[in-house]
Amino acid sequence: QCLIPDDHEKNLKDHVSSIDSYLKAIDLFPDTLLRYFALTEQNLGVCYSAKGMYDDANTYFIRCRENANRLSDSTMIAFSDYSLALIKLYNKQDDGINVIFKQLYENKYLPKYYRNESLVELAKYHIFTSGCLDSASYYLNLKANESKRVRGASYNLMGEIFYLQGNVDSAYH
């Protein structure tokens, strides 16, 4: 769905409003070992990511992960790891990103949607960072087999692979 400029501006304002609200709320918690405190940190990370403020997002996802670890919340830990890996990918930081997304794909605490999306992120990594198109194709095919439903992003990435391999005729199908 394409956002018209007014909607895009409204979404940015909504993120700013959300960030302001979460920052106020975080000061009101009597104890940092509450699940809601960690969720507030997670939500701040999500809002900062949506605004492209990856350093701030990184800070809050790390804090969320630390609290989730103290709370023994495996799902929140897995979501924090997924979000931190995305930030590394967006910032083109190659330090272990391949291994991180493989671990996320195998993490039973991460909801299946995010586990499958880890395969798409692995494909992106291999296309745009390592240049290993066979690996990228492998992960996209694995995602197609796992999810039984292929989304547009997967088709776009497959088209990119075909194009980079010089199989332009395959890219159109």
Side-chain angles (χ1 to χ4, degrees):
Q1 175 181 351
C2 183
L3 294 174
I4 57 174
D6 290 339
D7 287 344
H8 181 66
E9 234 176 82
K10 181 185 179 308
N11 284 340
L12 287 177
K13 286 178 185 173
D14 288 347
H15 288 300
V16 171
S17 298
S18 296
I19 289 169
D20 288 343
S21 296
Y22 289 130
L23 288 172
K24 287 177 187 171
I26 214 159
D27 291 333
L28 299 175
F29 285 102
D31 185 3
T32 60
L33 285 178
L34 294 171
R35 176 171 163 69
Y36 292 111
F37 183 84
L39 285 171
T40 301
E41 291 173 321
Q42 177 180 302
N43 288 339
L44 277 163
V46 168
C47 289
Y48 280 125
S49 285
K51 287 186 59 64
M53 299 171 68
Y54 298 124
D55 290 340
D56 292 324
N58 196 57
T59 298
Y60 280 101
F61 283 127
I62 288 171
R63 289 181 186 174
C64 174
R65 192 190 191 293
E66 290 168 355
N67 281 327
N69 196 38
R70 285 191 289 242
L71 295 165
S72 300
D73 188 329
S74 301
T75 302
M76 193 180 302
I77 290 169
F79 183 77
S80 295
D81 287 345
Y82 178 82
S83 300
L84 288 165
L86 282 178
I87 290 170
K88 281 185 175 200
L89 189 64
Y90 297 153
N91 286 327
K92 298 180 181 166
Q93 297 170 336
D94 192 11
D95 51 332
I97 198 88
N98 188 33
V99 173
I100 294 168
F101 277 116
K102 284 180 183 176
Q103 290 171 342
L104 287 167
Y105 170 65
E106 295 169 1
N107 188 327
K108 66 180 180 181
Y109 296 106
L110 192 63
K112 188 173 182 168
Y113 170 82
Y114 291 104
R115 288 197 331 259
N116 286 335
E117 286 305 300
S118 294
L119 296 172
V120 174
E121 300 307 330
L122 275 165
K124 287 180 193 175
Y125 165 80
H126 283 291
I127 292 169
F128 301 113
T129 305
S130 77
C132 187
L133 303 179
D134 290 338
S135 292
S137 186
Y138 168 78
Y139 289 117
L140 289 174
N141 286 326
L142 185 58
K143 183 196 184 296
N145 292 333
E146 287 283 324
S147 67
K148 307 290 186 243
R149 196 173 128 228
V150 181
R151 293 186 15 216
S154 296
Y155 284 120
N156 282 342
L157 290 172
M158 283 303 291
E160 186 73 23
I161 291 169
F162 289 134
Y163 176 78
L164 292 171
Q165 289 173 332
N167 298 328
V168 180
D169 57 333
S170 298
Y172 292 112
H173 297 289

